Amino acid sequence: MTDFIRFFAPLYFIFFFITAFLGASLLVYTRTGRRPDVLPSDDSAYGLIGRYFKIILTALFIYTLLILLFPEKILSAFTIRFLDHPVSRYAGIFMMVSAFVWVITAQIQMKDSWRIGIDHTTKTKLVVTGLFRISRNPVFLGMTVALIGFLFLVPTIISFTFLLSGHMLMQIQIRLEEEYLLQQHGAGYMNYKKTTGRMLCFH
């Protein structure tokens, strides 16, 4: 199992990033001529969130590469014992693969409304069909499930830290986006909020 994990973990996140972020962004840019990556790089609170996202992603990549290079040492360091079980690891793999498929499906359903950040220059279409019927934020939900799966696959305090910090940043980002969507879509978004939960069908 160790040999599988050492290769699966880095390859998963590399493939996830290339497909779910670079690939989706390239498709939107090709169709619209607009860059979907609109995270600010200024000194605002929103800009700070964007920088923290990038720091966490970079740290996650480094951690998975360390797993590849030094599997025995990294996988045995700071272990959460009650999760250190083959069943948990298989559950983690299932969650990570399912989350990847879920995120890609949500991005396809968003079409040209896909953005990394809040686009204040273009009014995008409010997507309420497909996975968006059961979750207002299926992409963030999928990313959260992927991090939970990674914790099950690599049950360490470090993996838990990635899950906790990533979840907190995503929750902040979600609320910022909700304010923007309310301004852009008004009553339409309010009605959508009443029928569809922030992460799942329940509120």
Side-chain angles (χ1 to χ4, degrees):
M1 191 65 169
T2 298
D3 284 339
F4 175 81
I5 294 172
R6 66 181 295 203
F7 290 104
F8 176 79
L11 288 175
Y12 174 86
F13 286 109
I14 290 171
F15 192 63
F16 194 111
F17 179 78
I18 291 175
T19 306
F21 291 95
L22 294 182
S25 297
L26 181 60
L27 286 175
V28 172
Y29 179 76
T30 301
R31 291 194 297 257
T32 67
R34 304 185 69 88
R35 289 183 55 187
D37 182 0
V38 290
L39 282 172
S41 57
D42 55 27
D43 196 37
S44 65
Y46 184 32
L48 185 64
I49 292 172
R51 283 198 295 276
Y52 281 149
F53 264 124
K54 293 174 183 176
I55 290 171
I56 290 174
L57 285 175
T58 301
L60 181 59
F61 277 127
I62 292 173
Y63 187 58
T64 58
L65 288 177
L66 289 175
I67 292 174
L68 174 65
L69 297 173
F70 313 103
E72 298 295 340
K73 291 183 178 180
I74 301 301
L75 293 175
S76 61
F78 310 107
T79 303
I80 301 174
R81 297 298 178 187
F82 75 92
L83 289 176
D84 190 12
H85 191 277
V87 174
S88 296
R89 297 184 191 278
Y90 285 117
I93 294 169
F94 175 78
M95 284 188 281
M96 291 172 74
V97 173
S98 299
F100 175 79
V101 174
W102 175 277
V103 168
I104 296 301
T105 301
Q107 289 176 325
I108 292 172
Q109 292 173 348
M110 286 187 76
K111 299 180 180 178
D112 294 341
S113 294
W114 159 251
R115 292 293 186 276
I116 303 175
I118 299 173
D119 189 352
H120 292 281
T121 63
T122 306
K123 183 176 181 179
T124 56
K125 180 182 177 182
L126 179 63
V127 181
V128 298
T129 57
L131 296 181
F132 291 84
R133 295 180 63 184
I134 57 177
S135 171
R136 298 204 307 268
N137 298 279
V139 173
F140 285 125
L141 175 59
M143 291 169 63
T144 301
V145 172
L147 289 175
I148 294 173
F150 183 61
L151 172 62
F152 276 57
L153 181 67
V154 183
T156 66
I157 296 297
I158 297 174
S159 298
F160 178 73
T161 302
F162 284 127
L163 170 60
L164 183 62
S165 56
H167 177 71
M168 290 174 62
L169 286 177
M170 282 186 275
Q171 288 299 317
I172 295 172
Q173 177 69 20
I174 285 170
R175 283 156 177 79
L176 290 172
E177 292 184 3
E178 285 179 348
E179 292 180 5
Y180 168 76
L181 290 170
L182 184 58
Q183 294 173 2
Q184 290 293 311
H185 299 283
Y189 186 69
M190 282 296 296
N191 292 331
Y192 179 49
K193 286 181 67 175
K194 293 176 182 178
T195 59
T196 308
R198 179 174 281 138
M199 296 299 274
L200 281 174
C201 56
F202 50 86
H203 291 267

